[in-house]
Amino acid sequence: MIVDIDQIINYSIAPYVVSPILSKMNRDIIGIIKVSNEDDIKTILQLAYKYNVPLIMRGRGTSTIGQVIPLKPSIVVDINNLTSDFEMDNEYVRVRPGDKVFEILRYLKRHGKTLKVYPSSLYLSTIGGYIAGGDVGIGSFQFGYHFHAGIKYLKVYGSNANILEVREKETLGFAQAAGTNGVITEAEIGIMDRDDWKDQLITSKDLLQILEIIKTLPREKTRRIIIEDSDALSLVGRLTGLNEWNLIISSTLKLGSEIDGRFLDELAFAAVYVTFSKISGFKNYFYEVRLLSLEEFYEVISEIKKYLGRKVLIHGDVMTLRGKIIIYTVFMSEKRNFKIIEDIMKKKGIPFEIHSIYINDRVDEPERLELMKKYKRLLDPKDILNPGKLRLDT
């Protein structure tokens, strides 16, 4: 076990957590163990279970919502070396948790394929961290959450080293559970044919016009859609010809002016509030997230802009959730302005508790949450795995 003080400090920090609430929860870990195979996992789990030692599985630590922040003195298990050589068929690729997302994508590209949904942190993150902790990403307009795009199979270890293999719907009990109810050591996840998507820009003064365009876009030909107000996009996009509202679309269709979209990963879902924490210029930077329908987006944004104008930056990732178009909406402003923003948002859309440490507050499908709890009771009754983050009483 590694107990070097510098490494302890590094592993105790969640470097991409920019929430002023979550960042105060950092606690020092008590040690680090690096694993490279399942025998290592099994041995560590057996010892931790015997001596009641909390464990947190960690990949690259790219979570923005605190999944790797210890709530109790814990040992971090580094899974970066638990990798595979990849196996695939026409619909799925088999991976291990330490495999880097970028390397999986590079492997699939050689075969004319790509992941159906993958994280904006693709150049940094492990696939195990994304399966266990992520939800949205590139491809969410086509497929929604990554676990809705298809997890065929998971191999999971319980805290006493017992093995469970789950398929199809039962995998939803572990996706987004942040490793609180099992340790994933193998997965088969959905892939698709890679296409020639072009990044394009459409601009308008009229937000309603932008939203009407979104309604017409076919999912099978449209990979991703981003809505950005001019102030937000001008900070990051390095683009000319912007208007009050700007729509960036990756599609095989010819829809607007083609752009160099290499900066877009800085503007995808969780990446956006990390990016703007560094460049927004707000002295007391704060952000909130809301999942809004097209109609709710127009109503809420119009009213917020009426009161705050350029004092608030607006970003929206367009996704599909349970068959409906939903906008993952990020509001960024000075902290003092959020009383106005929250009053306007009240009773609109689906809350996304971006500053909560608890998994329960971000799972918006009750049946998935119940599956998570079921497997927590079955596989981790002593709450050894990432303890305290999955509440069983709510």
Side-chain angles (χ1 to χ4, degrees), residues 57-155:
M57 304 295 139
R58 179 170 170 140
R60 298 298 296 275
T62 57
S63 163
T64 61
I65 47 179
Q67 290 106 320
V68 295
I69 292 176
L71 297 184
K72 297 180 180 180
S74 303
I75 292 175
V76 164
V77 180
D78 184 324
I79 54 87
N80 280 281
N81 292 327
L82 188 55
T83 59
S84 67
D85 294 326
F86 309 133
E87 297 176 27
M88 61 171 283
D89 58 23
N90 198 47
E91 296 183 348
Y92 295 93
V93 61
R94 180 179 285 259
V95 296
R96 286 188 176 272
D99 291 326
K100 308 303 181 286
V101 174
F102 178 70
E103 292 175 0
I104 298 169
L105 290 170
R106 186 167 56 183
Y107 166 80
L108 292 173
K109 184 179 180 180
R110 294 199 298 268
H111 298 275
K113 297 286 187 178
T114 190
L115 294 173
K116 287 184 174 179
V117 182
Y118 57 87
S120 57
S121 58
L122 66 144
Y123 295 106
L124 299 171
S125 56
T126 61
I127 195 65
Y130 186 53
I131 292 172
D135 43 33
V136 290
I138 315 308
S140 283
F141 178 66
Q142 293 178 305
F143 300 103
Y145 294 136
H146 78 80
F147 37 82
H148 288 160
I151 301 176
K152 182 181 179 182
Y153 164 84
L154 293 176
K155 183 178 182 181

Side-chain angles (χ1 to χ4, degrees), residues 51-334:
Y51 295 105
N52 295 309
V53 179
L55 301 174
I56 297 178
M57 304 295 139
R58 179 170 170 140
R60 298 298 296 275
T62 57
S63 163
T64 61
I65 47 179
Q67 290 106 320
V68 295
I69 292 176
L71 297 184
K72 297 180 180 180
S74 303
I75 292 175
V76 164
V77 180
D78 184 324
I79 54 87
N80 280 281
N81 292 327
L82 188 55
T83 59
S84 67
D85 294 326
F86 309 133
E87 297 176 27
M88 61 171 283
D89 58 23
N90 198 47
E91 296 183 348
Y92 295 93
V93 61
R94 180 179 285 259
V95 296
R96 286 188 176 272
D99 291 326
K100 308 303 181 286
V101 174
F102 178 70
E103 292 175 0
I104 298 169
L105 290 170
R106 186 167 56 183
Y107 166 80
L108 292 173
K109 184 179 180 180
R110 294 199 298 268
H111 298 275
K113 297 286 187 178
T114 190
L115 294 173
K116 287 184 174 179
V117 182
Y118 57 87
S120 57
S121 58
L122 66 144
Y123 295 106
L124 299 171
S125 56
T126 61
I127 195 65
Y130 186 53
I131 292 172
D135 43 33
V136 290
I138 315 308
S140 283
F141 178 66
Q142 293 178 305
F143 300 103
Y145 294 136
H146 78 80
F147 37 82
H148 288 160
I151 301 176
K152 182 181 179 182
Y153 164 84
L154 293 176
K155 183 178 182 181
V156 184
Y157 279 77
S159 58
N160 64 348
N162 54 324
I163 299 173
L164 182 69
E165 295 182 297
V166 293
R167 290 173 171 80
E168 309 297 347
K169 182 181 176 180
E170 292 299 304
T171 65
L172 298 176
F174 299 96
Q176 204 187 4
T180 58
N181 56 5
V183 180
I184 297 169
T185 60
E186 278 187 29
E188 293 179 21
I189 53 178
I191 60 177
M192 62 183 288
D193 290 337
R194 181 182 171 85
D195 214 331
D196 188 24
W197 297 291
K198 301 294 187 185
D199 296 321
Q200 303 166 65
L201 176 67
I202 299 174
T203 68
S204 177
K205 281 189 174 183
D206 186 356
L207 178 57
L208 195 57
Q209 181 184 20
I210 291 289
L211 298 178
E212 287 298 322
I213 291 170
I214 292 172
K215 292 179 183 179
T216 68
L217 297 174
R219 290 190 183 97
E220 68 274 10
K221 296 181 181 297
T222 308
R223 185 63 168 152
R224 67 194 293 189
I225 306 172
I226 294 172
I227 303 175
E228 207 85 26
D229 70 18
S230 59
D231 291 314
L233 190 54
S234 63
L235 286 173
V236 172
R238 301 174 286 278
L239 298 175
T240 59
L242 301 182
N243 212 321
E244 190 169 339
W245 291 101
N246 304 276
L247 192 63
I248 299 175
I249 304 168
S250 297
S251 178
T252 57
L253 301 173
K254 174 61 177 173
L255 299 165
S257 304
E258 193 169 326
I259 61 171
D260 181 351
R262 282 178 290 181
F263 67 92
L264 289 178
D265 293 327
E266 301 172 51
L267 289 178
F269 295 100
V272 71
Y273 38 85
V274 177
T275 297
F276 280 95
S277 72
K278 302 172 184 176
I279 66 173
S280 69
F282 295 128
K283 292 181 179 179
N284 194 12
Y285 172 81
F286 199 73
Y287 60 95
E288 285 288 359
V289 175
R290 201 79 166 183
L291 305 185
L292 300 170
S293 68
L294 293 175
E295 294 76 16
E296 290 168 333
F297 184 86
Y298 180 75
E299 182 181 341
V300 169
I301 298 305
S302 297
E303 193 167 354
I304 286 175
K305 281 292 189 181
K306 182 175 72 175
Y307 281 96
L308 293 175
R310 300 180 68 181
K311 295 177 182 177
V312 59
L313 302 177
I314 303 295
H315 166 90
D317 279 287
V318 184
M319 58 183 290
T320 300
L321 189 57
R322 295 180 282 275
K324 295 182 179 179
I325 294 177
I326 295 292
I327 302 179
Y328 179 102
T329 311
V330 184
F331 306 88
M332 296 164 286
S333 187
E334 295 284 356

